[in-house]
């Protein structure tokens, strides 16, 4: 890459990496003295225990071998020193080395779980962020680990794992193309004039430091077919086994000699139109890795030896919860203590799993154990504990006293211990949180904090973060739903149920008014219905003048409601609710001093099926974020098991403590643009661009469909394990018709299943914003990533792209600038000579440009100067908002107009290309092309 381009993309990459350091340093995995410690491999309870011995043996061998590969790939800077393997609690016959301290499946780095329709048995990394952002987890299936025939399709397990680890840990991406992907194609082309003829050289989309020799073959094993002189979607590049190249592990890593990443010394192919170049501003994989905190500022310099990996097999125990409840006088304000009493009782009576233990501590100036750790083993134990939660007030507030008593007495020496601290956070007595924070961190006990109101001490977020816990905020105007969501969030630390036994919230509604009868419909979709639970909570029993009831889809009534005084709640249980629209009806007093809160939950329709589940989170986590540098991204995942639900309507509701009744609504998108990393993966996202004030925000999400959403269970009806799809590059491409996933997850309407009518709700942890923009408009438009040339002549040019916004991916961009150059290295350099096809000023006259972010732009430009014949041109664009703030430059599209080859009738013909850099879309059939030889050699492009 030229120096000019390196400078031009530096600012872009700095922005892309801005959020990465916080997320990476918060992870449980640490790189210390060149060795990774704290790596957690967790096995899902959905995996049969009969596989246990083979799975554990394969995990150990795979990671041990991968440690050697990693050590060499990082130039002797990193290896796997200590790895923990977490067994599901349901595995009772498999020996273990120790009891897990606080490890759990949902926070594991590598997950062993059943395969999915989209990815099948192939390994992949959930990677919803941008360049440098850590992934969520690596997914491996039992079949992949124990069946050599299945794994051999993807190359050596050790190299596959390092390939995926690079995505998970360092936020880099594949350096390959994908079948039928316009943005990241399998092949691209370059052009040259040889003796008056145009010669097209075809390049497989990859990165290597030396030419790769190989052949083009159709997936059937025959010769490739061509469309417009490019290999069609069934063609694959099959590298020869013997190569001189040693990079890159992010492309054809299964080649024996390939054992390094492309970088400064292992030449990076910045022209290749692959995902990594697009996401990371064409910087090499190694340059991104070196900027990670693992290696930045000479961290973990080269060492001579890597020690063997040590494995510890852990057995997970039931959770031990210490409820630490604030009963100080300030908790009387806004009826906080009454709300706490009702919700905590409901949590004990209905939500905590059998086998978990709960103890109760109350504190004011001093702390007292009201109930020791008690195993939940039936209705009697639940009711006994729930009865002990009262509304008696105490003087003074010492949060530290409550935490200290939980740590040193109730949970001392316990495994899988969790403190659930509920407080308004206004401490005024010794000991304070800060006095015991260090001991808490060292104890291994997690702390989940629930803060009432805006004035709660910011140390609540800090202690939760330091102990790898969670933090929630509850508004004083809340009638109980936010508080219940926060209590439910702590249940993450219970040993996981199978997905089929997970409770799913399918309806919620709150009402405070004068109507004497309230009714609402809610859908039961085909994926849920077992153990449906309807609960109507009221502020007082007399507000409900009769028992509420349900109406089934067929019109019959369910009148089995019972009132539970401990939680002031009416409950109806339905063992198996049939699909369709249900209705609940409640007769009320009409007194608007009282409220009702309704929610409905259910499990999968049967124990062998999977429900549609939604979960939500934000990129910032609970730590204070500077929104002027790192805007918050809100995410919501909608999936059935691991299969994406596409076409759903997903909306986030973001509320600040200063305006609790004025939630900002943010429609999340799964279109692969703006904040969204990949289209169709079931992860919907959007930048948060409005911040009323610094402080705490509550984030909730709702996903629903009236029948327009589909469950993507894979694009082929062939369900054979070796023919499924994955992100990885198949070592045997002729046996793998399609693999996944580039800019989008492939979708086949013929094999997709309708999601029907459904409704889901999910709560994220609260977020803390430490700094906000001084004005409402300081965020630039987000970058366009899919600029394409749709048509051209010598005097005009038609372009199309997905519109960006005024503020990142929201609103309407104010202006666009389109640049053209015959030198792609100069194109992004603001000081280099280039032709501006469309200035910001002239774009104001083009109404077709100004559509909402996420919509498609189509524009035809008349050229002042005609394109020169036999010359390649490169195009890019950037957007501006009304304050003059600029987006980064888009991907680069290419145009080439050549003379008609001798002996043909046409006067001129046109080559149009579009890509991250150079991708051929259309070219006349009369081109003389070098690809018509039996094999190809890829030119070195560096």
């Amino acid at each position: 890459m030229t120096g000019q381009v390196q400078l031009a993309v530096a600012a872009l990459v700095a922005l892309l990496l801005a959020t990465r350091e916080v997320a990476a340093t918060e992870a449980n995995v640490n790189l210390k003295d060149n060795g990774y410690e704290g790596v957690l491999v967790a096995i899902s309870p959905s995996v049969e225990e009969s596989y246990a011995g083979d799975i554990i043996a394969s995990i150990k061998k795979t990671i041990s071998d991968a440690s050697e590969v990693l050590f060499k790939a990082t130039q002797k800077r990193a290896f796997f020193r200590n790895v923990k393997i977490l067994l599901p609690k349901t595995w009772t016959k498999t020996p273990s080395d120790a009891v897990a301290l606080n490890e759990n499946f949902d926070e594991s780095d590598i997950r062993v779980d059943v395969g999915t329709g989209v990815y099948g048995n192939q390994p992949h990394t959930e990677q919803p962020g941008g360049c440098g952002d850590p992934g969520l987890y690596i997914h491996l299936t039992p079949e992949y680990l124990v069946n050599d025939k299945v794994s051999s399709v993807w190359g050596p397990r050790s190299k596959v794992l390092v390939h995926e680890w690079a995505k998970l840990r360092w936020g880099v991406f594949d350096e390959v193309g994908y079948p039928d992907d316009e943005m990241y194609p399998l092949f691209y082309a370059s052009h040259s004039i040889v003796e008056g003829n145009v010669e097209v050289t075809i390049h497989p989309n990859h990165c290597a430091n030396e030419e790769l020799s190989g052949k083009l073959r159709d997936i059937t094993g025959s010769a490739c077919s061509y469309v417009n002189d490019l290999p069609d979607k069934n063609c694959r590049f099959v590298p020869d086994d013997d190569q001189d190249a040693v990079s890159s592990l992010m492309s054809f890593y299964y080649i024996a000699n390939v054992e390094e990443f492309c970088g400064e010394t292992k030449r990076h192919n910045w022209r290749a139109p692959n995902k990594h170049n697009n996401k990371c501003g064409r910087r090499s994989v190694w340059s991104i890795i070196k900027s990670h905190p693992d290696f930045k500022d000479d961290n973990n310099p080269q060492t001579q030896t890597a020690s063997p990996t040590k494995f510890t097999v852990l057995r997970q125990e039931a959770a031990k919860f210490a409820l630490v409840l604030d009963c100080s006088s300030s908790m009387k304000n806004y009826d906080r203590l009454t709300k706490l009493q009702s919700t905590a009782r409901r949590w004990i009576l209905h939500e905590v799993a059998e086998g978990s233990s709960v103890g109760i501590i109350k504190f004011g100036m001093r702390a007292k154990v009201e109930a020791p750790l008690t195993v939940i083993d039936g209705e009697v134990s639940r009711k006994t504990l729930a009865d002990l939660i009262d509304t008696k007030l105490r003087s003074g507030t010492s949060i530290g006293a409550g935490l200290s008593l939980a740590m040193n007495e109730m949970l001392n020496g316990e495994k899988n211990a969790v403190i659930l601290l509920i407080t308004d956070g206004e401490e005024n007595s010794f000991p304070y949180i800060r006095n015991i924070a260090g001991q808490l961190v060292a104890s291994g006990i997690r702390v989940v904090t629930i803060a009432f109101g805006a004035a709660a001490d910011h140390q609540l977020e800090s202690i939760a973060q330091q102990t790898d816990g969670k933090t929630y905020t509850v508004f004083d105007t809340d009638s109980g739903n936010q508080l219940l969501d926060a209590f439910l969030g702590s249940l993450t630390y219970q040993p996981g149920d199978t997905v089929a036994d997970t409770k799913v919230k399918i309806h919620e509604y709150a009402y405070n008014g004068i109507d004497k009868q309230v009714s609402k419909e809610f859908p039961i979709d085909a994926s849920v219905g077992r153990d449906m639970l309807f609960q109507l909570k009221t502020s007082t029993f007399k507000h409900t003048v009769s028992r509420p009831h349900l109406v089934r889809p067929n019109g019959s009534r369910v009148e089995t409601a019972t009132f539970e005084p401990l939680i002031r709640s009416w409950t109806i249980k339905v063992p198996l609710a049939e699909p369709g629209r249900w209705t609940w009806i409640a007769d009320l007093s009409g007194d608007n001093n009282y409220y009702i809160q309704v929610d409905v939950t259910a499990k999968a329709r049967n124990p062998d099926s999977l429900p549609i589940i939604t979960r939500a989170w934000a990129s910032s986590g609970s730590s204070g974020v500077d929104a002027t540098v790192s805007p918050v991204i809100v995410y919501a995942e909608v999936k059935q098991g691991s299969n994406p639900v596409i076409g759903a309507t997903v909306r986030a509701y973001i509320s600040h403590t200063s305006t609790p009744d004025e939630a900002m609504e943010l429609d999340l998108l799964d279109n692969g643009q703006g904040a969204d990393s990949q289209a169709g993966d079931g992860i919907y996202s959007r930048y948060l661009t409005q911040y009323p004030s610094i402080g705490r925000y509550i984030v909730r999400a709702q996903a629903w469909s009236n029948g327009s959403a589909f469950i993507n269970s894979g694009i082929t009806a062939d369900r054979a394990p070796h023919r499924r799809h994955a992100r990885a590059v198949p070592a045997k491409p002729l046996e793998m018709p399609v693999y996944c996933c580039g800019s989008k997850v492939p979708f086949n309407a013929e094999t997709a299943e309708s999601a029907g009518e459904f409704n889901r709700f999910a709560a994220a942890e609260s977020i803390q914003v430490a700094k906000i923009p001084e004005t409402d408009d300081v965020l630039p438009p987000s970058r366009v990533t899919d600029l394409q040339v749709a048509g051209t002549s010598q005097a005009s040019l038609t372009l199309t792209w997905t519109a960006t916004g005024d503020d990142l991916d929201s609103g309407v961009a104010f202006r666009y600038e389109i640049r053209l150059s015959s030198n792609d290295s100069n194109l992004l350099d603001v000081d280099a000579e280039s032709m501006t096809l469309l200035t910001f000023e002239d774009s104001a006259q083009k109404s077709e440009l100004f559509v909402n972010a996420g919509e498609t732009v189509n524009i035809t430009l008349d050229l002042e100067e005609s394109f020169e014949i036999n010359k390649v041109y490169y195009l890019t664009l950037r957007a501006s908002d009304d304050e003059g703030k600029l987006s980064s430059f888009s991907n680069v599209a290419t145009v080439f107009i050549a003379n008609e080859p001798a002996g043909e009738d046409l006067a001129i013909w046109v080559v149009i290309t579009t890509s991250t850099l150079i991708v051929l879309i259309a070219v006349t059939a009369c081109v003389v092309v070098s690809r018509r030889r039996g094999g190809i050699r890829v030119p070195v492009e560096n």
Side-chain angles (χ1 to χ4, degrees):
M1 181 182 292
T2 67
Q4 289 173 319
V5 174
Q6 287 174 330
L7 291 173
V9 301
L12 166 65
V13 176
L15 176 62
L16 292 172
L17 300 180
T19 61
R20 195 268 311 279
E21 286 196 30
V22 173
T25 53
E26 287 181 353
N28 293 324
V29 177
N30 296 306
L31 183 59
K32 181 180 179 182
D33 297 329
N34 303 100
Y36 281 112
E37 300 179 346
V39 178
L40 179 62
V41 183
I43 302 172
S44 167
S46 299
V47 176
E48 296 179 13
E49 190 173 8
S50 57
Y51 285 97
D54 291 339
I55 288 174
I56 294 171
S58 182
I59 290 171
K60 291 180 176 180
K61 177 171 175 51
T62 297
I63 296 179
S64 294
D65 293 346
S67 185
E68 298 178 12
V69 176
L70 181 66
F71 189 60
K72 189 161 190 176
T74 57
Q75 301 176 19
K76 299 183 177 181
R77 287 177 168 87
F79 59 92
F80 294 118
R81 178 181 287 122
N82 293 313
V83 174
K84 294 175 283 188
I85 301 173
L86 181 66
L87 306 182
K89 187 173 181 291
T90 53
W91 284 16
T92 58
K93 301 176 182 178
T94 306
S96 59
D97 301 317
V99 175
L101 177 60
N102 55 23
E103 294 80 6
N104 68 90
F105 181 84
D106 286 342
E107 294 180 347
S108 58
D109 308 293
I110 302 172
R111 301 182 186 178
V112 179
D113 205 349
V114 294
T116 72
V118 172
Y119 294 109
N121 287 318
Q122 279 65 51
H124 64 278
T125 301
E126 285 289 343
Q127 201 173 8
C131 184
D133 292 331
L136 300 181
Y137 58 87
I138 297 170
H139 184 141
L140 305 176
T141 70
E143 289 82 358
Y144 173 81
L145 287 169
V146 304
N147 189 324
D148 291 341
K149 183 176 180 180
V150 170
S151 68
S152 67
V153 172
W154 306 97
R157 291 188 183 101
S158 57
K159 285 190 173 183
V160 170
L161 186 62
V162 172
H163 176 88
E164 299 300 331
W165 180 262
K167 300 176 189 177
L168 177 76
R169 182 67 179 179
W170 305 312
V172 298
F173 296 86
D174 288 332
E175 293 182 294
V176 293
Y178 301 87
D180 204 23
D181 194 309
E182 292 182 357
M183 190 176 295
Y184 311 129
L186 289 171
F187 301 95
Y188 64 105
S190 61
H191 317 88
S192 58
I193 306 299
V194 179
E195 297 180 352
N197 292 320
V198 178
E199 185 162 299
V200 180
T201 304
I202 297 168
H203 307 269
N205 188 359
H206 69 269
C207 187
N209 66 306
E210 299 290 347
E211 293 183 16
L212 292 183
S213 60
K215 294 178 174 60
L216 297 183
R217 288 291 181 265
D218 192 272
I219 57 176
T220 63
S222 60
C224 284
S225 300
Y226 293 83
V227 177
N228 297 325
D229 285 299
L230 270 183
D232 69 12
K233 64 180 181 180
N234 292 325
C235 189
R236 303 290 185 269
F237 172 60
V238 184
D240 295 334
D241 292 335
D242 296 326
Q243 304 283 355
D244 293 330
V246 296
S247 66
S248 168
L249 282 168
M250 299 312 295
S251 54
F252 297 122
Y253 54 81
Y254 52 79
I255 296 174
N257 284 359
V258 171
E259 50 193 11
E260 300 183 33
F261 299 108
C262 278
E264 294 86 343
T265 59
K266 301 298 179 287
R267 292 173 294 183
H268 172 56
N269 181 7
W270 59 273
R271 282 191 168 95
N274 54 52
K275 184 184 288 191
H276 180 80
N277 278 337
N278 190 13
K279 296 284 188 184
C280 293
R282 302 194 287 179
R283 286 186 63 187
S284 71
V285 168
W286 184 241
S287 68
I288 300 300
I289 292 174
K290 285 206 308 181
S291 66
H292 189 278
D294 285 349
F295 309 113
K296 188 178 180 180
D297 299 325
D298 294 325
N299 286 339
N300 295 289
Q302 288 183 335
T303 186
Q304 292 305 308
T305 58
S307 60
T309 307
K310 179 182 178 182
F311 294 92
T312 305
V313 179
L314 302 176
R315 174 175 52 82
Q316 193 172 23
E317 282 195 350
K320 286 86 175 177
F321 294 102
L323 290 184
V324 179
L325 310 179
D326 187 346
C327 296
S328 61
S329 57
S330 59
M331 287 290 289
K332 184 178 181 180
N333 299 334
Y334 305 101
D335 207 25
R336 292 169 181 165
L337 200 55
T338 301
K339 295 174 183 176
L340 172 58
Q341 178 195 42
S342 175
T343 305
R345 284 177 167 180
R346 170 177 169 172
W347 182 77
I348 292 171
L349 290 172
H350 293 287
E351 309 298 346
V352 181
E354 289 285 309
S356 293
S357 298
V358 176
I360 302 170
I361 293 173
K362 299 177 185 176
F363 69 89
M365 182 181 297
R366 296 178 179 83
K368 180 183 177 182
V369 174
E370 299 290 337
L373 276 180
T374 302
V375 177
I376 301 295
D377 59 358
E379 296 300 319
V380 173
S381 60
R382 293 180 185 273
K383 189 175 184 304
T384 300
L385 283 169
D387 280 339
L388 295 174
I389 299 178
D390 56 32
T391 57
K392 295 178 182 178
L393 295 173
R394 291 164 170 78
S395 61
T397 308
S398 173
I399 299 175
L403 293 173
S404 179
L405 189 60
M407 173 180 61
N408 294 316
E409 185 171 322
M410 182 171 288
L411 299 177
N412 186 21
E414 297 288 350
K415 304 293 186 181
N416 201 9
V418 181
I419 292 174
L420 184 51
L421 170 66
I422 304 95
T423 176
D424 58 16
E426 300 177 12
E427 56 179 347
N428 54 29
S429 301
F430 180 86
Y432 298 97
I433 296 175
R434 63 179 180 271
N435 300 127
I436 65 163
Q439 298 176 54
L440 263 176
V441 173
S443 72
I445 299 171
R446 295 181 187 269
V447 181
V448 177
T449 65
I450 302 176
F452 276 105
D457 197 307
H458 294 299
Q459 290 183 86
L460 294 177
E461 282 86 1
S462 177
I463 195 63
Q465 181 182 354
Q466 291 179 65
T467 60
D468 297 319
K470 299 182 179 182
T471 184
Y472 296 90
T473 299
V474 177
F475 294 151
D476 284 319
T477 56
D478 174 51
S479 59
N481 196 61
Q482 293 172 357
L483 186 57
L484 178 61
D485 285 339
F487 266 87
L488 294 178
S490 68
L491 299 181
T492 301
Y493 306 118
Q494 292 181 151
D497 286 327
T498 61
V499 176
D501 285 328
T502 300
K503 285 186 178 180
V504 179
K505 181 182 283 192
I506 57 180
H507 176 71
E508 66 177 34
Y509 182 76
Y511 179 73
N512 173 241
I514 62 173
D515 290 345
K516 292 192 174 183
Q517 187 179 79
V518 178
S519 66
K520 289 293 176 182
E521 290 186 339
F522 61 93
I524 295 292
D525 60 276
S527 75
V528 295
R530 183 165 50 100
D531 295 340
M532 188 181 84
L533 179 67
F534 165 87
Q535 288 193 296
L536 185 151
K537 177 185 174 184
T538 178
S539 48
T540 179
F541 172 73
K542 66 181 181 180
H543 185 43
T544 50
V545 299
S546 63
R547 293 193 304 177
H549 64 274
L550 299 176
V551 180
R552 296 178 182 273
N554 64 7
S556 63
R557 294 160 64 109
V558 181
E559 297 179 315
T560 57
T562 57
F563 188 76
E564 299 182 70
L566 284 177
I567 57 177
R568 297 194 301 276
S569 179
W570 290 95
T571 300
I572 300 176
K573 298 179 181 179
V574 180
L576 186 62
E578 61 268 33
R581 296 196 66 81
W582 288 64
T583 303
W584 60 265
I585 300 173
D587 295 319
L588 307 177
S589 68
D591 189 337
N592 62 3
N593 291 314
Y594 305 128
Y595 68 85
I596 61 169
Q597 172 71 49
V598 173
D599 60 76
V600 181
T601 62
K603 298 177 182 178
R605 179 150 298 277
N606 63 70
D608 298 322
S609 64
L610 299 175
I612 294 173
I613 292 179
T614 297
R615 68 186 190 95
W617 71 96
S619 60
S620 64
S622 59
S623 58
V625 63
D626 181 349
T628 64
V629 176
S630 305
V632 174
I633 301 175
V634 179
Y635 296 95
E637 180 183 77
V638 189
K639 293 184 177 181
Q640 184 185 43
S642 296
N643 293 332
V645 175
I646 64 172
T649 302
V650 183
R651 183 169 296 160
Y653 304 92
I654 303 100
S655 306
H656 187 264
T657 50
S658 64
T659 54
D661 297 323
E662 300 176 10
M664 297 178 287
E665 296 184 359
L666 191 63
D667 287 327
L668 309 184
L669 303 176
D670 186 15
N671 62 354
Q673 301 297 318
D676 193 62
S677 179
Q678 186 179 61
D681 62 356
I683 299 178
Y684 297 70
S685 57
R686 202 77 176 268
Y687 284 107
L688 179 60
T689 59
Q690 298 179 10
Y691 303 89
S693 181
I694 62 172
R696 294 184 173 96
Y697 288 78
I698 288 179
V699 179
R700 306 185 77 250
Q702 180 183 6
W704 71 93
S705 172
N706 293 322
S708 59
F710 289 87
I711 300 164
N712 189 353
S713 56
I715 68 170
T716 175
D718 184 355
R719 306 264 52 100
H722 72 284
R723 296 180 69 87
R724 292 201 180 176
H725 323 294
R727 293 178 189 267
V729 183
K732 300 178 180 179
L734 303 185
E735 297 182 11
M736 186 63 57
V738 180
Y739 57 95
C740 190
C741 289
S743 62
K744 59 186 178 182
V745 175
F747 174 74
N748 185 346
E750 294 181 359
T751 60
E753 177 186 351
S754 173
E757 184 181 6
F758 72 86
N759 202 3
R760 298 290 187 272
F761 297 85
E765 292 183 59
S766 58
I767 60 176
Q768 182 79 233
V769 179
K771 186 176 181 180
I772 62 174
E774 295 181 0
T775 65
D776 291 336
D777 195 4
V778 300
L779 298 173
S782 57
R783 175 179 179 250
V784 171
T785 61
D786 61 348
L787 173 64
Q788 296 183 21
V789 179
T792 190
S793 68
Q794 279 191 272
S796 67
L797 183 67
T798 299
L799 302 175
T800 183
W801 66 87
T802 301
T804 183
D806 180 82
D807 295 318
L808 299 172
D809 57 6
S810 295
V812 179
F814 188 67
R815 297 285 188 268
Y816 283 98
E817 177 191 62
I818 300 174
R819 292 185 170 207
L820 175 80
S821 177
S822 59
N823 186 333
D824 57 349
S825 296
N826 289 341
L827 191 62
L828 306 184
D829 189 340
V830 295
D831 297 321
E833 292 185 6
S834 62
M835 180 192 305
T836 301
L837 287 182
L838 184 69
T839 65
F840 287 123
E841 293 74 15
D842 291 339
S843 72
Q845 309 305 315
K846 305 284 186 181
S847 59
E848 61 266 40
L849 290 172
F850 306 114
V851 299
N852 288 321
E855 297 180 5
T856 300
V857 174
N858 291 285
I859 186 171
T860 298
L861 301 174
D862 294 326
L863 306 178
E864 294 183 3
E865 298 181 15
S866 298
F867 286 122
E868 292 184 30
I869 302 300
N870 295 337
K871 192 171 185 177
V872 178
Y873 291 91
Y874 307 94
L875 299 105
T876 189
L877 65 79
R878 58 179 175 173
S880 170
D881 66 8
D882 55 0
E883 296 291 330
K885 291 176 292 298
L886 300 174
S887 72
S888 301
F889 282 105
S890 73
N891 63 300
V892 179
T894 309
V895 175
F896 177 78
I897 299 182
N899 272 323
E900 167 208 354
E904 298 291 337
D905 295 329
L906 296 176
I908 62 169
W909 52 272
V910 182
V911 176
I912 305 171
T913 66
T914 177
S915 70
T916 302
L917 204 64
I918 309 172
V919 183
L920 186 66
I921 315 198
V923 62
T924 59
C926 57
V927 181
V928 178
V929 289
S930 58
R931 56 85 179 157
R932 296 200 187 277
R933 304 166 189 160
I936 63 172
R937 290 185 63 81
V938 181
V940 176
E941 302 187 7
N942 305 288

